[in-house]
Amino acid sequence: MGGVLNYSGTGELFNDDSRSSSSSFFNRVLPLLFLLSIYATRIGSRLKLSVNMSGEEEENAAELKIGDEFLKAKCLMNCEVSLILEHKYEQLQQMSEDPMNQVSQVFEKSLQYVKRFSRYKNPDAVRQVRELLSRYQLAEFELCVLGNLCPETVEEAIAMVPSIKSRGRGHDDEAIEKMLNDMSLIKKFE
Amino acid sequence: MFFHIVLERNMQLHPRHFGRDLREKLVAKLMKDVEGTCSGRHGFVVAITGIENVGKGLIRDGTGFVTFPVKYQCVVFRPFKGEILEAVVSMVNKMGFFAEAGPVQIFVSNHLIPDDMEFQSGDMPNYTTSDGSVKIQKDSEVRLKIIGTRVDATEIFCIGTIKDDFLGVISDPGTTS
């Protein structure tokens, strides 16, 4: 912020000239500038605040505030990402002997992560889970959180996806329980 | 959370690549430029999965370079405040622990670890409950909630908590505080 910069600039001047005759001048001006800089910072932060309030709302995944762009985008469960990345990795493997050299660190870390945390390994099971969950009028994001974490009880599911209850879609506990049961069945039979 | 989204980028291509395999050159350059990058808005670009379309090229004045607008599909990883996810513990110290969820690092401060878990130093530093039933150490899998994100030019850094219902070490139902 301008005020802060201003202040530090004067601070240097003050140090340089502190022994000269003009030190009294700086002694008098410095507190003034200091006050000014505080004032400027305040205005600045208030401005920033107002921008924040009028523009993008603060994100909160629990209330499904993840920005329009991501709300409409297709969300991927870890198991789906695993299928995509492994496919891509195989393609790279065919082109060169040492594919690990070719891929970025982000790719490598993501692949390790999704391999470790994929609930469903079999592509058919992955498809079934998405089909099952998409019957419950869930947002993409909610669907994927459920698919990733596979909660076992209704309370757990609500704790993981609080928005499931709040949006008035008639999700009673029984419907959620049935959904969780069906999910564990898919897991059992894959 | 991982997303599959469509992004656009203006690609500059040197005239020496103009020819039959212009498109391949363009795509190869796009992958090299974009994969592995991170932006605050879209998160980490993990992999490009397809090209939607390549627009008409525009010759830049003064140079021979041509700019092509390219629309591409990609897998991105974007953490959100309030999101619950699973992560692998990568480092434990007395301030708390670091965990990794794919490309993103998450720090869980000791204030956000349940009060009944105590730090134990040693060559395998860890947080353990008083009865020793639950232990968080390197390579443990934890379920945590992101409560804050900091966006850098090339990195997203998160703060997480395990001090809530159904959070904590995975495969141990006793961890819920």
mmCIF file of all heavy atoms in Angstrom, chain B residues 12-45:
data_model
loop_
_atom_site.group_PDB
_atom_site.id
_atom_site.type_symbol
_atom_site.label_atom_id
_atom_site.label_comp_id
_atom_site.label_asym_id
_atom_site.label_seq_id
_atom_site.Cartn_x
_atom_site.Cartn_y
_atom_site.Cartn_z
ATOM 1 N N GLN B 12 2.134 -19.068 -28.777
ATOM 2 C CA GLN B 12 2.964 -18.468 -29.817
ATOM 3 C C GLN B 12 3.849 -19.535 -30.427
ATOM 4 O O GLN B 12 4.473 -20.310 -29.704
ATOM 5 C CB GLN B 12 3.834 -17.379 -29.210
ATOM 6 C CG GLN B 12 3.081 -16.092 -29.019
ATOM 7 C CD GLN B 12 4.021 -14.935 -28.842
ATOM 8 O OE1 GLN B 12 5.066 -14.878 -29.466
ATOM 9 N NE2 GLN B 12 3.641 -14.008 -27.979
ATOM 10 N N LEU B 13 3.879 -19.561 -31.739
ATOM 11 C CA LEU B 13 4.643 -20.607 -32.409
ATOM 12 C C LEU B 13 5.621 -19.983 -33.388
ATOM 13 O O LEU B 13 5.281 -19.049 -34.129
ATOM 14 C CB LEU B 13 3.676 -21.543 -33.138
ATOM 15 C CG LEU B 13 4.211 -22.941 -33.415
ATOM 16 C CD1 LEU B 13 4.492 -23.674 -32.116
ATOM 17 C CD2 LEU B 13 3.228 -23.741 -34.248
ATOM 18 N N HIS B 14 6.837 -20.497 -33.354
ATOM 19 C CA HIS B 14 7.869 -20.014 -34.269
ATOM 20 C C HIS B 14 7.561 -20.499 -35.681
ATOM 21 O O HIS B 14 7.097 -21.630 -35.854
ATOM 22 C CB HIS B 14 9.230 -20.542 -33.811
ATOM 23 C CG HIS B 14 10.373 -19.865 -34.483
ATOM 24 N ND1 HIS B 14 10.856 -20.281 -35.691
ATOM 25 C CD2 HIS B 14 11.112 -18.788 -34.124
ATOM 26 C CE1 HIS B 14 11.865 -19.491 -36.055
ATOM 27 N NE2 HIS B 14 12.036 -18.582 -35.114
ATOM 28 N N PRO B 15 7.837 -19.670 -36.692
ATOM 29 C CA PRO B 15 7.488 -20.058 -38.072
ATOM 30 C C PRO B 15 8.165 -21.340 -38.545
ATOM 31 O O PRO B 15 7.670 -21.993 -39.463
ATOM 32 C CB PRO B 15 7.932 -18.874 -38.911
ATOM 33 C CG PRO B 15 8.339 -17.810 -37.989
ATOM 34 C CD PRO B 15 8.289 -18.290 -36.595
ATOM 35 N N ARG B 16 9.278 -21.731 -37.904
ATOM 36 C CA ARG B 16 9.959 -22.940 -38.396
ATOM 37 C C ARG B 16 9.104 -24.191 -38.189
ATOM 38 O O ARG B 16 9.353 -25.224 -38.804
ATOM 39 C CB ARG B 16 11.318 -23.118 -37.713
ATOM 40 C CG ARG B 16 11.251 -23.494 -36.256
ATOM 41 C CD ARG B 16 12.599 -23.969 -35.736
ATOM 42 N NE ARG B 16 12.535 -24.133 -34.291
ATOM 43 C CZ ARG B 16 12.857 -23.199 -33.411
ATOM 44 N NH1 ARG B 16 13.296 -22.024 -33.822
ATOM 45 N NH2 ARG B 16 12.754 -23.421 -32.120
ATOM 46 N N HIS B 17 8.075 -24.081 -37.336
ATOM 47 C CA HIS B 17 7.206 -25.239 -37.095
ATOM 48 C C HIS B 17 6.048 -25.316 -38.068
ATOM 49 O O HIS B 17 5.259 -26.255 -37.994
ATOM 50 C CB HIS B 17 6.654 -25.197 -35.674
ATOM 51 C CG HIS B 17 7.704 -25.212 -34.622
ATOM 52 N ND1 HIS B 17 8.655 -26.193 -34.534
ATOM 53 C CD2 HIS B 17 7.986 -24.343 -33.620
ATOM 54 C CE1 HIS B 17 9.458 -25.945 -33.520
ATOM 55 N NE2 HIS B 17 9.072 -24.819 -32.951
ATOM 56 N N PHE B 18 5.920 -24.312 -38.939
ATOM 57 C CA PHE B 18 4.777 -24.338 -39.843
ATOM 58 C C PHE B 18 5.003 -25.405 -40.896
ATOM 59 O O PHE B 18 6.037 -25.469 -41.537
ATOM 60 C CB PHE B 18 4.579 -22.975 -40.530
ATOM 61 C CG PHE B 18 4.323 -21.863 -39.553
ATOM 62 C CD1 PHE B 18 4.368 -20.541 -39.948
ATOM 63 C CD2 PHE B 18 4.045 -22.156 -38.235
ATOM 64 C CE1 PHE B 18 4.139 -19.536 -39.040
ATOM 65 C CE2 PHE B 18 3.818 -21.147 -37.325
ATOM 66 C CZ PHE B 18 3.874 -19.826 -37.732
ATOM 67 N N GLY B 19 3.984 -26.231 -41.044
ATOM 68 C CA GLY B 19 4.119 -27.326 -42.000
ATOM 69 C C GLY B 19 3.062 -28.343 -41.694
ATOM 70 O O GLY B 19 2.070 -28.051 -41.026
ATOM 71 N N ARG B 20 3.304 -29.566 -42.159
ATOM 72 C CA ARG B 20 2.307 -30.605 -42.005
ATOM 73 C C ARG B 20 1.961 -30.871 -40.534
ATOM 74 O O ARG B 20 0.824 -31.055 -40.172
ATOM 75 C CB ARG B 20 2.841 -31.888 -42.634
ATOM 76 C CG ARG B 20 2.121 -32.242 -43.913
ATOM 77 C CD ARG B 20 2.509 -33.609 -44.301
ATOM 78 N NE ARG B 20 3.879 -33.906 -43.845
ATOM 79 C CZ ARG B 20 4.586 -34.929 -44.281
ATOM 80 N NH1 ARG B 20 4.055 -35.731 -45.173
ATOM 81 N NH2 ARG B 20 5.802 -35.162 -43.845
ATOM 82 N N ASP B 21 3.007 -30.891 -39.693
ATOM 83 C CA ASP B 21 2.737 -31.280 -38.305
ATOM 84 C C ASP B 21 2.662 -30.069 -37.375
ATOM 85 O O ASP B 21 3.079 -30.121 -36.230
ATOM 86 C CB ASP B 21 3.770 -32.290 -37.812
ATOM 87 C CG ASP B 21 5.173 -31.886 -38.190
ATOM 88 O OD1 ASP B 21 5.312 -30.805 -38.797
ATOM 89 O OD2 ASP B 21 6.113 -32.623 -37.864
ATOM 90 N N LEU B 22 2.105 -29.005 -37.901
ATOM 91 C CA LEU B 22 1.946 -27.789 -37.092
ATOM 92 C C LEU B 22 1.117 -28.068 -35.844
ATOM 93 O O LEU B 22 1.472 -27.675 -34.741
ATOM 94 C CB LEU B 22 1.264 -26.713 -37.933
ATOM 95 C CG LEU B 22 1.106 -25.319 -37.320
ATOM 96 C CD1 LEU B 22 1.201 -24.266 -38.411
ATOM 97 C CD2 LEU B 22 -0.189 -25.146 -36.578
ATOM 98 N N ARG B 23 0.030 -28.792 -36.056
ATOM 99 C CA ARG B 23 -0.880 -29.051 -34.937
ATOM 100 C C ARG B 23 -0.201 -29.864 -33.833
ATOM 101 O O ARG B 23 -0.313 -29.558 -32.654
ATOM 102 C CB ARG B 23 -2.124 -29.779 -35.459
ATOM 103 C CG ARG B 23 -3.302 -29.706 -34.498
ATOM 104 C CD ARG B 23 -4.435 -30.557 -35.001
ATOM 105 N NE ARG B 23 -5.247 -31.016 -33.887
ATOM 106 C CZ ARG B 23 -6.335 -30.383 -33.456
ATOM 107 N NH1 ARG B 23 -6.737 -29.287 -34.028
ATOM 108 N NH2 ARG B 23 -7.018 -30.849 -32.423
ATOM 109 N N GLU B 24 0.539 -30.899 -34.243
ATOM 110 C CA GLU B 24 1.239 -31.707 -33.239
ATOM 111 C C GLU B 24 2.252 -30.872 -32.464
ATOM 112 O O GLU B 24 2.371 -30.993 -31.251
ATOM 113 C CB GLU B 24 1.975 -32.887 -33.890
ATOM 114 C CG GLU B 24 1.104 -34.075 -34.217
ATOM 115 C CD GLU B 24 0.614 -34.057 -35.650
ATOM 116 O OE1 GLU B 24 -0.420 -33.413 -35.920
ATOM 117 O OE2 GLU B 24 1.276 -34.654 -36.498
ATOM 118 N N LYS B 25 2.961 -30.031 -33.217
ATOM 119 C CA LYS B 25 3.951 -29.159 -32.569
ATOM 120 C C LYS B 25 3.273 -28.265 -31.541
ATOM 121 O O LYS B 25 3.766 -28.063 -30.429
ATOM 122 C CB LYS B 25 4.658 -28.303 -33.635
ATOM 123 C CG LYS B 25 5.688 -29.074 -34.423
ATOM 124 C CD LYS B 25 7.040 -28.948 -33.752
ATOM 125 C CE LYS B 25 7.999 -30.057 -34.154
ATOM 126 N NZ LYS B 25 8.182 -30.210 -35.585
ATOM 127 N N LEU B 26 2.112 -27.750 -31.944
ATOM 128 C CA LEU B 26 1.363 -26.838 -31.081
ATOM 129 C C LEU B 26 0.934 -27.550 -29.800
ATOM 130 O O LEU B 26 1.082 -27.028 -28.695
ATOM 131 C CB LEU B 26 0.140 -26.337 -31.855
ATOM 132 C CG LEU B 26 -0.468 -25.014 -31.441
ATOM 133 C CD1 LEU B 26 0.532 -23.895 -31.593
ATOM 134 C CD2 LEU B 26 -1.691 -24.716 -32.296
ATOM 135 N N VAL B 27 0.427 -28.771 -29.985
ATOM 136 C CA VAL B 27 -0.064 -29.528 -28.830
ATOM 137 C C VAL B 27 1.093 -29.912 -27.912
ATOM 138 O O VAL B 27 0.997 -29.808 -26.683
ATOM 139 C CB VAL B 27 -0.824 -30.784 -29.298
ATOM 140 C CG1 VAL B 27 -1.180 -31.664 -28.120
ATOM 141 C CG2 VAL B 27 -2.083 -30.383 -30.048
ATOM 142 N N ALA B 28 2.212 -30.321 -28.519
ATOM 143 C CA ALA B 28 3.366 -30.706 -27.715
ATOM 144 C C ALA B 28 3.851 -29.511 -26.901
ATOM 145 O O ALA B 28 4.185 -29.635 -25.711
ATOM 146 C CB ALA B 28 4.485 -31.228 -28.615
ATOM 147 N N LYS B 29 3.871 -28.342 -27.533
ATOM 148 C CA LYS B 29 4.327 -27.141 -26.832
ATOM 149 C C LYS B 29 3.350 -26.778 -25.716
ATOM 150 O O LYS B 29 3.765 -26.390 -24.615
ATOM 151 C CB LYS B 29 4.450 -25.980 -27.832
ATOM 152 C CG LYS B 29 5.112 -24.747 -27.247
ATOM 153 C CD LYS B 29 5.373 -23.716 -28.340
ATOM 154 C CE LYS B 29 6.224 -22.551 -27.875
ATOM 155 N NZ LYS B 29 5.681 -21.806 -26.776
ATOM 156 N N LEU B 30 2.072 -26.938 -26.005
ATOM 157 C CA LEU B 30 1.049 -26.636 -24.992
ATOM 158 C C LEU B 30 1.246 -27.507 -23.758
ATOM 159 O O LEU B 30 1.239 -27.027 -22.626
ATOM 160 C CB LEU B 30 -0.348 -26.856 -25.582
ATOM 161 C CG LEU B 30 -1.518 -26.588 -24.646
ATOM 162 C CD1 LEU B 30 -1.713 -25.104 -24.458
ATOM 163 C CD2 LEU B 30 -2.797 -27.215 -25.161
ATOM 164 N N MET B 31 1.455 -28.806 -23.999
ATOM 165 C CA MET B 31 1.641 -29.721 -22.866
ATOM 166 C C MET B 31 2.870 -29.328 -22.060
ATOM 167 O O MET B 31 2.844 -29.330 -20.827
ATOM 168 C CB MET B 31 1.805 -31.150 -23.370
ATOM 169 C CG MET B 31 0.482 -31.712 -23.869
ATOM 170 S SD MET B 31 0.620 -33.442 -24.225
ATOM 171 C CE MET B 31 -1.062 -33.854 -24.583
ATOM 172 N N LYS B 32 3.941 -28.993 -22.773
ATOM 173 C CA LYS B 32 5.173 -28.637 -22.089
ATOM 174 C C LYS B 32 4.979 -27.363 -21.263
ATOM 175 O O LYS B 32 5.488 -27.244 -20.150
ATOM 176 C CB LYS B 32 6.284 -28.432 -23.127
ATOM 177 C CG LYS B 32 7.655 -28.734 -22.594
ATOM 178 C CD LYS B 32 8.696 -28.746 -23.704
ATOM 179 C CE LYS B 32 9.971 -28.073 -23.232
ATOM 180 N NZ LYS B 32 10.330 -26.868 -23.954
ATOM 181 N N ASP B 33 4.234 -26.420 -21.833
ATOM 182 C CA ASP B 33 4.059 -25.135 -21.152
ATOM 183 C C ASP B 33 3.109 -25.215 -19.969
ATOM 184 O O ASP B 33 3.284 -24.533 -18.970
ATOM 185 C CB ASP B 33 3.496 -24.091 -22.136
ATOM 186 C CG ASP B 33 4.553 -23.606 -23.103
ATOM 187 O OD1 ASP B 33 5.666 -24.153 -23.034
ATOM 188 O OD2 ASP B 33 4.268 -22.708 -23.900
ATOM 189 N N VAL B 34 2.054 -26.011 -20.117
ATOM 190 C CA VAL B 34 0.934 -25.907 -19.177
ATOM 191 C C VAL B 34 0.944 -26.972 -18.087
ATOM 192 O O VAL B 34 0.657 -26.694 -16.932
ATOM 193 C CB VAL B 34 -0.397 -25.964 -19.953
ATOM 194 C CG1 VAL B 34 -1.561 -26.040 -19.002
ATOM 195 C CG2 VAL B 34 -0.533 -24.749 -20.835
ATOM 196 N N GLU B 35 1.278 -28.222 -18.456
ATOM 197 C CA GLU B 35 1.198 -29.306 -17.478
ATOM 198 C C GLU B 35 2.168 -29.056 -16.327
ATOM 199 O O GLU B 35 3.329 -28.740 -16.540
ATOM 200 C CB GLU B 35 1.501 -30.651 -18.140
ATOM 201 C CG GLU B 35 0.327 -31.129 -18.967
ATOM 202 C CD GLU B 35 0.512 -32.534 -19.520
ATOM 203 O OE1 GLU B 35 1.602 -33.112 -19.332
ATOM 204 O OE2 GLU B 35 -0.420 -33.042 -20.134
ATOM 205 N N GLY B 36 1.656 -29.195 -15.136
ATOM 206 C CA GLY B 36 2.495 -29.000 -13.964
ATOM 207 C C GLY B 36 2.488 -27.581 -13.434
ATOM 208 O O GLY B 36 3.070 -27.309 -12.400
ATOM 209 N N THR B 37 1.822 -26.670 -14.134
ATOM 210 C CA THR B 37 1.766 -25.300 -13.633
ATOM 211 C C THR B 37 0.632 -25.160 -12.632
ATOM 212 O O THR B 37 -0.217 -26.036 -12.489
ATOM 213 C CB THR B 37 1.534 -24.287 -14.766
ATOM 214 O OG1 THR B 37 0.284 -24.567 -15.386
ATOM 215 C CG2 THR B 37 2.648 -24.336 -15.775
ATOM 216 N N CYS B 38 0.624 -24.032 -11.970
ATOM 217 C CA CYS B 38 -0.390 -23.798 -10.955
ATOM 218 C C CYS B 38 -0.830 -22.347 -10.995
ATOM 219 O O CYS B 38 -0.003 -21.462 -11.120
ATOM 220 C CB CYS B 38 0.195 -24.119 -9.591
ATOM 221 S SG CYS B 38 -0.829 -23.608 -8.234
ATOM 222 N N SER B 39 -2.115 -22.130 -10.947
ATOM 223 C CA SER B 39 -2.602 -20.757 -10.830
ATOM 224 C C SER B 39 -3.624 -20.717 -9.712
ATOM 225 O O SER B 39 -4.263 -21.714 -9.397
ATOM 226 C CB SER B 39 -3.221 -20.284 -12.142
ATOM 227 O OG SER B 39 -4.481 -20.877 -12.322
ATOM 228 N N GLY B 40 -3.742 -19.569 -9.097
ATOM 229 C CA GLY B 40 -4.646 -19.453 -7.972
ATOM 230 C C GLY B 40 -6.078 -19.725 -8.348
ATOM 231 O O GLY B 40 -6.860 -20.230 -7.556
ATOM 232 N N ARG B 41 -6.420 -19.379 -9.566
ATOM 233 C CA ARG B 41 -7.806 -19.494 -9.977
ATOM 234 C C ARG B 41 -8.191 -20.940 -10.294
ATOM 235 O O ARG B 41 -9.225 -21.434 -9.857
ATOM 236 C CB ARG B 41 -8.006 -18.617 -11.201
ATOM 237 C CG ARG B 41 -9.450 -18.502 -11.570
ATOM 238 C CD ARG B 41 -9.694 -17.269 -12.396
ATOM 239 N NE ARG B 41 -10.967 -17.409 -13.047
ATOM 240 C CZ ARG B 41 -11.229 -16.964 -14.263
ATOM 241 N NH1 ARG B 41 -10.294 -16.326 -14.939
ATOM 242 N NH2 ARG B 41 -12.402 -17.128 -14.785
ATOM 243 N N HIS B 42 -7.345 -21.618 -11.077
ATOM 244 C CA HIS B 42 -7.725 -22.952 -11.524
ATOM 245 C C HIS B 42 -7.008 -24.081 -10.803
ATOM 246 O O HIS B 42 -7.328 -25.243 -10.988
ATOM 247 C CB HIS B 42 -7.482 -23.086 -13.033
ATOM 248 C CG HIS B 42 -8.342 -22.157 -13.837
ATOM 249 N ND1 HIS B 42 -7.822 -21.086 -14.521
ATOM 250 C CD2 HIS B 42 -9.668 -22.101 -14.019
ATOM 251 C CE1 HIS B 42 -8.809 -20.431 -15.114
ATOM 252 N NE2 HIS B 42 -9.936 -21.021 -14.819
ATOM 253 N N GLY B 43 -6.034 -23.746 -9.995
ATOM 254 C CA GLY B 43 -5.317 -24.782 -9.280
ATOM 255 C C GLY B 43 -4.199 -25.385 -10.128
ATOM 256 O O GLY B 43 -3.724 -24.768 -11.077
ATOM 257 N N PHE B 44 -3.803 -26.603 -9.789
ATOM 258 C CA PHE B 44 -2.715 -27.278 -10.502
ATOM 259 C C PHE B 44 -3.241 -27.944 -11.772
ATOM 260 O O PHE B 44 -4.238 -28.659 -11.718
ATOM 261 C CB PHE B 44 -2.107 -28.365 -9.626
ATOM 262 C CG PHE B 44 -1.424 -27.840 -8.404
ATOM 263 C CD1 PHE B 44 -2.130 -27.637 -7.233
ATOM 264 C CD2 PHE B 44 -0.067 -27.551 -8.424
ATOM 265 C CE1 PHE B 44 -1.503 -27.148 -6.094
ATOM 266 C CE2 PHE B 44 0.569 -27.079 -7.292
ATOM 267 C CZ PHE B 44 -0.146 -26.871 -6.131
ATOM 268 N N VAL B 45 -2.565 -27.715 -12.881
ATOM 269 C CA VAL B 45 -2.925 -28.420 -14.110
ATOM 270 C C VAL B 45 -2.171 -29.746 -14.105
ATOM 271 O O VAL B 45 -0.950 -29.780 -14.192
ATOM 272 C CB VAL B 45 -2.555 -27.602 -15.356
ATOM 273 C CG1 VAL B 45 -2.908 -28.378 -16.610
ATOM 274 C CG2 VAL B 45 -3.273 -26.264 -15.344
#
